[in-house]
Amino acid sequence: MAAAVRQAAVFLSLWALCVLGKPTEKKDRVHHDPELSDKVHDDAQSFDYDHDAFLGAEEAKTFDQLTPEESKERLGKIVSKIDEDKDGFVTAEELKAWIKFAQKRWIYEDVERQWKGHDLNEDGLISWEEYKNATYGYILDDPDPDDGFNYKQMMTRDERRFKMADRDGDLIATKEEFTAFLHPEEYDYMKDIVVQETMEDIDKNGDGLIDLEEYIGDMYSHDGDAEEPEWVKTEREQFVEFRDKNRDGKMDKEETKDWILPSDYDHAEAEARHLVYESDQDKDGRLTKEEIVDKYDLFVGSQATDFGEALVRHDEF
């Protein structure tokens, strides 16, 4: 187990080094919320965008094989999950939270996979000791492994992040805290650690700031090239004009945060408001299960909608 983990860590580290070493390939440190769907949002043509947004693209496909009755039944069960306070109504906020969950289902699946490998005593919690032993146990046996990686430094960094994710400070993570540990960019209270780790990666001279050459050096390696690619020149301009807001030649913590964690347009909120507007028959600003199921084809697909879209495509052809 430990050997396998060690091999995986080495593989990932080497992969990262190879990728980062490509002189013309740009490295992206910025955390953006991805689009809800790669389909065009045009309800006059189809509700495919809404289906992807509401369910996630992979889950949406499974509804296309269901009869309308089966789709309505499954949708009704989903509505019960969305209604978090169980008051019989779905608000735009509850819909927004559900859409964010559906879009990031892969994160929770990743956590489930890792949970099984780290909850060693199967008590439904993961202590720092459990995580450390499962991930870095081999370091205790071989404190100076001969593979070029500083595992002690990696462990210290993981411990700091674990403590940040552990909101009650008992060094024992619930599943939610463990999710924040593995995917800190998804949690507001973890954003400072994301910024800190990013700055530590880029800040080569240890002054706690990121200067222009460190910024460029993180995403581009000259590798003997006489001339920089055009995108590198653009990034230099971006640093001077936009990243370094106070024009002191370096990015501090707040400037780095604005760079890697921008305030994006909230696609989930916009879609939630759209779904409420289209389905709210009595215009009270919230949805009942009946209102949602009545407009089921806006939320989910079925054999009927899939067949209808096939006819439209055939007619267009």
Side-chain angles (χ1 to χ4, degrees), residues 158-218:
D158 271 357
E159 183 175 12
R160 182 181 65 191
R161 190 198 282 192
F162 192 97
K163 288 178 177 177
M164 179 73 77
D166 175 30
R167 303 194 82 163
D168 57 9
D170 62 357
L171 284 181
I172 299 174
T174 62
K175 190 163 286 188
E176 187 71 11
E177 290 170 334
F178 192 62
T179 304
F181 167 69
L182 293 177
H183 299 278
E185 70 282 352
E186 302 296 332
Y187 291 80
D188 286 340
Y189 80 99
M190 294 293 289
K191 287 184 176 178
D192 283 347
I193 202 75
V194 175
V195 174
Q196 184 177 357
E197 290 179 359
T198 301
M199 293 189 76
E200 288 172 353
D201 288 343
I202 302 175
D203 173 27
K204 300 305 181 186
N205 63 13
D207 66 352
L209 300 165
I210 299 173
D211 62 34
L212 175 57
E213 292 311 313
E214 289 170 332
Y215 173 78
I216 295 298
D218 179 60

Side-chain angles (χ1 to χ4, degrees), residues 70-243:
E70 290 170 332
S71 283
K72 290 178 182 179
E73 183 181 353
R74 278 183 63 179
L75 176 60
K77 292 176 180 177
I78 291 174
V79 173
S80 298
K81 295 179 182 178
I82 300 173
D83 180 18
E84 291 184 354
D85 59 9
K86 306 305 178 189
D87 66 349
F89 297 96
V90 170
T91 64
E93 277 301 308
E94 287 173 325
L95 255 181
K96 173 184 167 181
W98 169 262
I99 290 169
K100 285 183 176 290
F101 168 79
Q103 291 296 316
K104 294 174 178 176
R105 201 185 303 268
W106 68 271
I107 289 177
Y108 301 102
E109 291 171 352
D110 174 55
V111 171
E112 286 297 329
R113 283 193 300 270
Q114 299 217 38
W115 187 267
K116 294 172 183 175
H118 292 95
D119 182 14
L120 301 180
N121 62 5
E122 299 183 350
D123 65 347
L125 299 165
I126 294 178
S127 68
W128 167 246
E129 286 299 315
E130 279 182 302
Y131 181 83
K132 181 179 72 174
N133 289 333
T135 307
Y136 297 105
Y138 55 87
I139 289 179
L140 304 178
D141 302 325
D142 182 8
D144 188 25
D146 185 25
D147 56 18
F149 296 105
N150 191 334
Y151 292 102
K152 284 188 176 180
Q153 189 177 60
M154 291 164 61
M155 185 169 69
T156 299
R157 183 157 153 159
D158 271 357
E159 183 175 12
R160 182 181 65 191
R161 190 198 282 192
F162 192 97
K163 288 178 177 177
M164 179 73 77
D166 175 30
R167 303 194 82 163
D168 57 9
D170 62 357
L171 284 181
I172 299 174
T174 62
K175 190 163 286 188
E176 187 71 11
E177 290 170 334
F178 192 62
T179 304
F181 167 69
L182 293 177
H183 299 278
E185 70 282 352
E186 302 296 332
Y187 291 80
D188 286 340
Y189 80 99
M190 294 293 289
K191 287 184 176 178
D192 283 347
I193 202 75
V194 175
V195 174
Q196 184 177 357
E197 290 179 359
T198 301
M199 293 189 76
E200 288 172 353
D201 288 343
I202 302 175
D203 173 27
K204 300 305 181 186
N205 63 13
D207 66 352
L209 300 165
I210 299 173
D211 62 34
L212 175 57
E213 292 311 313
E214 289 170 332
Y215 173 78
I216 295 298
D218 179 60
M219 60 182 75
Y220 170 72
S221 170
H222 282 274
D223 201 29
D225 289 353
E227 190 172 344
E228 292 180 341
E230 200 60 38
W231 68 262
V232 177
K233 296 176 184 177
T234 301
E235 283 297 338
R236 288 186 181 277
E237 295 170 2
Q238 290 283 319
F239 183 94
V240 173
E241 296 295 326
F242 302 107
R243 310 276 188 247

Side-chain angles (χ1 to χ4, degrees), residues 258-274:
D258 288 343
W259 166 43
I260 66 171
L261 297 168
S263 299
D264 286 339
Y265 175 74
D266 196 329
H267 296 282
E269 180 175 358
E271 178 65 10
R273 292 182 182 279
H274 167 66

Side-chain angles (χ1 to χ4, degrees), residues 288-302:
T288 62
K289 181 183 288 190
E290 289 71 24
E291 286 175 321
I292 292 175
V293 172
D294 190 53
K295 289 279 290 185
Y296 83 97
D297 58 338
L298 172 64
F299 291 84
V300 299
S302 70

Side-chain angles (χ1 to χ4, degrees), residues 12-28:
L12 289 172
S13 300
L14 290 173
W15 174 86
L17 287 172
C18 290
V19 169
L20 301 186
K22 292 181 181 178
T24 58
E25 185 167 313
K26 182 178 177 182
K27 179 180 180 182
D28 192 3

